[in-house]
Amino acid sequence: MCVRRKPVVVVVLLALLGALGVVVAVNSVGGKIKLPQLGPECIVRADGEVALDLVQMANAATITAVGLRRKMPERAIIIALATAFQESKLENLDTGDRDSVGLFQQRPSQGWGTPEKIQDPRYAAGKFYSALKKVKGWQKMRVTDAAQKVQRSAYPNAYEKWADESTVLATALTGRATGAVECTVSGEPALRGATAAAALAEGMRLDWGKGLNTIEATQSGGLTVAVKDVNAGWRYAHWLVSHASSTGVERVRFADREWNAPDGKWQPVTGGKGAGNDTVIAEVFS
């Protein structure tokens, strides 16, 4: 009996050709081949590891900042992040089930606000925290149970699977971990110079609120933020890295470490050029 062999060689050859096609099809800028970003742009490490793209990272940082501005405990931030993970994968969606939109897939018809307002991440996060505060005993509930009390989802247990990832993010973004948010930002900056510095300062004020009144412009193009302790410093430093792509941030310094956009890593600062423990420094592309 003759056994026909599967055309393994042909399959492998096609796979190789497909991979070659991906490489050849990359963008060409100024006559130079620009290779695509391989893997996630952001890695967060804080007693665990989470990989996100730049948009997801920025949204996670904003959700956390709004929670801290409202003086919500870290547990609330974990619940909010887990909810946004499940509902939108931390993306600000303009569609969803029925009339649901935004990070938390909130519905205008259910009183969450207009579609335009809900698609403002700061507004959406604020509405979520306000609703969570009204849940009796939420602090002692499982993540999924507290989230479900707010969301009333058809899948009430789905939020729990994001609890570990959300805990890692909350630990880093609340400033309890050092150099924990690393994002690689390549390509042409979204903004430069004074425009970038203005957008950066405005974004920080919108996320962190009126209590953040210590922002000052720098001569080199960027800003400095005075902080009262190391935790606060890492909160702002991680926020700046998280929003670097959309605001044109090239470099962030805090304490004895520095982050650079193309490299994406926090590195020790040498030569006495650190920022100290009372100031976070951000520089934008010129």
Side-chain angles (χ1 to χ4, degrees), residues 106-129:
Q106 294 155 331
R107 298 180 60 192
S109 64
Q110 300 300 308
W112 288 97
T114 66
E116 293 76 19
K117 285 185 176 181
I118 294 172
Q119 285 197 273
D120 177 348
R122 301 173 185 96
Y123 173 91
K127 293 291 284 187
F128 180 86
Y129 287 121

Side-chain angles (χ1 to χ4, degrees), residues 37 40-45 49-54 57 169 172-173 178-185 234 237-239 241-242 244 257-261 263-268:
Q37 174 75 32
E41 294 101 335
C42 299
I43 302 293
V44 182
R45 297 181 179 91
E49 184 174 300
V50 176
L52 300 176
D53 66 28
L54 293 165
M57 193 70 244
L169 290 179
L173 291 170
T178 298
V181 177
E182 295 187 320
C183 295
T184 302
V185 184
W234 283 115
H238 289 155
W239 185 96
V241 172
S242 300
R257 298 199 184 189
E258 178 179 87
W259 169 89
N260 288 285
D263 175 66
K265 305 292 184 183
W266 284 97
Q267 304 285 359

Side-chain angles (χ1 to χ4, degrees), residues 198-269:
L200 184 60
E202 178 67 9
M204 287 204 78
R205 291 191 179 98
L206 287 172
D207 271 17
W208 294 99
K210 296 179 180 178
L212 185 68
N213 55 8
T214 54
I215 296 178
E216 296 182 3
T218 64
Q219 291 182 350
S220 59
L223 54 82
T224 64
V225 183
V227 296
K228 61 182 180 180
D229 55 42
V230 173
N231 276 10
W234 283 115
R235 288 178 188 176
Y236 297 136
H238 289 155
W239 185 96
L240 288 162
V241 172
S242 300
H243 286 271
S245 176
S246 60
T247 55
V249 174
E250 181 181 17
R251 182 177 294 106
V252 178
R253 290 199 299 273
F254 178 61
D256 60 349
R257 298 199 184 189
E258 178 179 87
W259 169 89
N260 288 285
D263 175 66
K265 305 292 184 183
W266 284 97
Q267 304 285 359
V269 177

